[in-house]
Amino acid sequence: MTGNEAEPDDRAELVGELENTLLGGQRRYTRGEVAELSGLDPERTRRLWVAMGFPAAGDQDRIFTDGDVTAARLLGKLVEFGALDSEAELAMARTLGQSLSRLAEWQTRDITARIGELAANEQEALELAVGLLPLIEELMSYVWRRHVASAAGRVVGSAEGQDRQDKTVGFADMVGYTSTTRRLRATELSALLERFEEDASEIIATRRGQIVKQVGDEIMFTADDPGDAAEIALALCAEDRPERGLPELRVGLAAGDVLLRYGDVFGSVVNLAARLTTTAHPSSVLVDATLAERLSGDPRFALRQLRPVSVRGYRHLRPWVLRVNRG
């Protein structure tokens, strides 16, 4: 055996410790036993399990742990207390599964690569992973609580309904992304996306906006104040981006009533902002008529109406170009 290999028994013990830490105990229960111990209907536990993005388990598969039983009980209590109904329960499970699966995939890849650089051998790598898990979990809890506090402040302070609110919605799209992916190596493309994400996140957060989601070369955000949204868009399209090694962007903004649902935003305002983004020229910001009216008296901004354009869903869309007022 070489010095970089772990004894099979030691490795098995460490892998078991890592899995127990992650799953909240050893795999010992069937799905039916989880239902019995948690007090939930077996079909309900099956739907929740699948909604969270996990493959369906056979009736005799012993893959569940005490942690799974505890989670089922917690979901049951949320419904019992009236915080969720059965429909919202499944929707919450789907939202958690979709959001956290992406986070887990990213964390596992990056942290595994980093541990591989730090550890002298396989056993040391596993020991590092076991030690890091509680630290990562505590940090995630802190960030989540901070975001809940911020969201609570916005919701409680709003005079409108919690599910429908007046917001400005924006999309920022990388120019020439398709052609860029063809000529860049994977490491170069990863670095470009990292710079894009870091810059956009800082611009949006520091100007009181909220990131809704990012899909590849596009990021979606909202802002409660129209002026904040306009400042975000103009900063995202700053002229010096190429000099700072940042990709050129185009941005579309629209304002109005939107539906807020499980961390996402829906409605015609969202569709309109997306269409404006596809219509905008590189390094430019287009806004809809509603937002243009709201910004018309703000001395920070200059607005110019363009000719009507035809895009999917809008035959006579009249966009406005938004610029910094240098007069």
Side-chain angles (χ1 to χ4, degrees):
M1 187 179 85
T2 67
N4 289 331
E5 294 177 345
E7 291 285 355
D9 290 345
D10 293 340
R11 184 180 186 280
E13 183 179 347
L14 282 166
V15 170
E17 184 181 349
L18 178 62
E19 183 174 273
N20 291 343
T21 301
L22 284 167
L23 300 182
Q26 297 180 350
R27 300 174 186 262
R28 64 178 71 182
Y29 304 118
T30 65
R31 182 164 54 84
E33 289 170 340
V34 170
E36 183 180 353
L37 290 168
S38 65
L40 301 187
D41 178 81
E43 178 59 20
R44 183 178 171 191
T45 62
R46 186 198 67 79
R47 291 198 305 269
L48 288 168
W49 180 257
V50 174
M52 286 186 282
F54 302 120
D59 290 341
Q60 302 306 315
D61 293 340
R62 293 192 174 276
I63 64 171
F64 300 102
T65 70
D66 289 323
D68 296 310
V69 174
T70 300
R73 285 174 177 159
L74 290 173
L75 281 168
K77 287 181 179 179
L78 287 173
V79 175
E80 181 183 337
F81 291 159
L84 295 173
D85 57 28
S86 58
E87 181 181 346
E89 178 185 61
L90 285 174
M92 186 183 73
R94 280 194 300 271
T95 302
L96 283 173
Q98 292 168 8
S99 301
L100 295 180
S101 65
R102 292 182 59 197
L103 179 61
E105 183 74 19
W106 165 73
Q107 286 178 328
T108 302
R109 290 181 182 276
D110 279 27
I111 292 173
T112 299
R114 184 60 178 157
I115 287 176
E117 296 173 1
L118 296 174
N121 52 55
E122 192 176 53
Q123 182 169 350
E124 187 175 328
L126 284 167
E127 290 173 349
L128 280 171
V130 170
L132 281 173
L133 282 173
L135 302 179
I136 296 170
E137 186 174 12
E138 185 175 350
L139 179 60
M140 288 176 60
S141 177
Y142 158 76
V143 175
W144 173 77
R145 286 176 178 273
R146 265 291 179 180
H147 277 296
V148 169
S150 179
R154 292 193 298 271
V155 171
V156 173
S158 173
E160 304 172 68
Q162 295 184 9
D163 57 342
R164 302 199 69 90
Q165 292 187 19
D166 188 286
K167 286 185 178 287
T168 300
V169 178
F171 286 90
D173 180 57
M174 286 175 57
V175 176
Y177 179 73
T178 301
S179 60
T180 299
T181 58
R182 295 196 190 104
R183 59 183 174 80
L184 292 183
R185 296 192 299 269
T187 53
E188 294 172 327
L189 179 60
S190 177
L192 177 67
L193 289 171
E194 176 63 27
R195 291 195 298 272
F196 166 53
E197 293 174 22
E198 180 180 359
D199 178 74
S201 298
E202 181 174 350
I203 287 173
I204 294 168
T206 56
R207 290 165 176 80
R208 295 169 293 281
Q210 296 86 44
I211 295 175
V212 178
K213 58 188 172 183
Q214 181 182 343
V215 181
D217 61 327
E218 185 175 66
I219 194 165
M220 177 184 176
F221 63 93
T222 63
D224 296 328
D225 181 79
D228 290 340
E231 286 196 344
I232 289 169
L234 291 170
L236 288 170
C237 290
E239 296 177 355
D240 65 344
R241 290 183 65 84
E243 301 169 13
R244 293 186 283 135
L246 294 168
E248 198 174 19
L249 305 179
R250 55 169 64 90
V251 179
L253 295 175
D257 193 39
V258 298
L259 171 66
L260 305 179
R261 189 173 185 271
Y262 306 114
D264 211 338
V265 183
F266 301 89
S268 60
V269 171
V270 177
N271 298 332
L272 183 52
R275 302 294 178 268
L276 288 167
T277 305
T278 61
T279 305
H281 291 299
S283 298
S284 71
V285 181
L286 292 185
V287 307
D288 73 326
T290 299
L291 184 57
E293 182 179 357
R294 295 179 182 184
L295 297 174
S296 61
D298 195 318
R300 294 173 294 175
F301 311 117
L303 292 155
R304 179 170 63 87
Q305 190 174 28
L306 301 179
R307 294 178 179 177
V309 295
S310 179
V311 296
R312 184 161 58 93
Y314 300 89
R315 295 187 59 185
H316 299 287
L317 177 61
R318 295 189 67 91
W320 295 70
V321 177
L322 174 70
R323 295 192 177 95
V324 176
N325 188 356
R326 304 186 187 280

